[in-house]
Amino acid sequence: MKKIFFIIIIALFSTGKSFSQTKKENTVSDSQNVFSRPYDYVNDFEKILNPNQTASLTNTLKAFEKQFLYKITVVTTSTIQPYTSFPDYALELDKYLAKDPKLDPTILIVVSKELRQIQVQSIDLIRYKLSDNDTQSIITTYAVPEFKKGDYGKGLELAVEQIMSKLKTY
């Protein structure tokens, strides 16, 4: 009787581990948790724009989308965790936003003051209007000088204006 009781006790304690819950680790592929915030035209998660700059840029982007059907989305962020590179973060954010037709941007501009990075993602269909070289030139000529002065709102406004003027052509 003692042997049977002992075997039952051992069996109960040894199976306890298989029924216990373990915490799921966050993975890079789990973008739902990383990008689970609501998104609009201007998303200043890093808080580098003042309310007037955010409102002005939002109005500009809304009007442009209404007239030309190109949606430009701006996101500021202070961290790219769990990603290790800024381009990877921007690419995954673009993929995440593309899942929802209401959020899917034609152009996504991701900026980090803290990380001193900017990345522009665009759909392939507009490359004939706005090449990678055009984008690089716009960023270095219009955005970066203002960023260096600390005026991220003006830098983004100037860069967006130039991007919109390129998209209006043809």
Side-chain angles (χ1 to χ4, degrees):
M1 182 73 166
K2 287 183 181 180
K3 285 183 179 180
I4 295 174
F5 181 73
F6 184 69
I7 292 172
I8 292 173
I9 295 294
I10 290 175
L12 286 175
F13 283 114
S14 66
T15 59
K17 286 186 179 178
S18 64
F19 293 113
S20 66
Q21 293 182 349
T22 58
K23 186 177 178 183
K24 180 184 171 192
E25 292 294 320
N26 285 343
T27 61
V28 173
S29 64
D30 188 14
S31 63
Q32 188 68 26
N33 290 335
V34 175
F35 305 119
S36 61
R37 304 174 186 181
Y39 290 89
D40 198 10
Y41 292 91
V42 179
N43 308 276
D44 187 18
F45 300 126
E46 195 172 14
K47 306 292 183 217
I48 58 176
L49 306 173
N50 68 43
N52 291 338
Q53 291 171 326
T54 302
S56 173
L57 193 53
T58 298
N59 291 336
T60 300
L61 296 175
K62 276 183 184 179
F64 183 73
E65 182 185 17
K66 195 172 198 174
Q67 185 176 5
F68 294 98
L69 304 176
Y70 294 120
K71 181 170 183 149
I72 300 173
T73 302
V74 176
V75 177
T76 68
T77 184
S78 59
T79 181
I80 59 169
Q81 295 299 328
Y83 300 93
T84 56
S85 78
F86 205 77
D88 289 346
Y89 176 86
L91 181 62
E92 290 301 317
L93 176 57
D94 190 41
K95 288 178 185 176
Y96 173 77
L97 294 174
K99 291 177 185 175
D100 184 346
K102 292 179 183 176
L103 299 176
D104 189 12
T106 307
I107 296 179
L108 172 65
I109 303 170
V110 184
V111 177
S112 177
K113 176 181 179 181
E114 187 172 317
L115 301 173
R116 300 177 53 120
Q117 296 279 328
I118 184 167
Q119 184 73 31
V120 179
Q121 298 290 130
S122 63
I123 61 171
D124 290 335
L125 296 174
I126 64 164
R127 300 243 185 233
Y128 72 97
K129 289 185 176 187
L130 184 68
S131 70
D132 290 340
N133 289 338
D134 292 336
T135 304
Q136 182 66 33
S137 176
I138 289 169
I139 296 303
T140 56
T141 306
Y142 296 95
V144 172
E146 295 302 324
F147 291 175
K148 286 181 179 180
K149 294 176 190 174
D151 195 346
Y152 283 80
K154 186 174 181 184
L156 286 170
E157 189 75 42
L158 291 173
V160 164
E161 286 173 5
Q162 292 302 311
I163 289 170
M164 290 186 311
S165 71
K166 286 281 191 183
L167 293 176
K168 290 177 188 177
T169 60
Y170 295 96

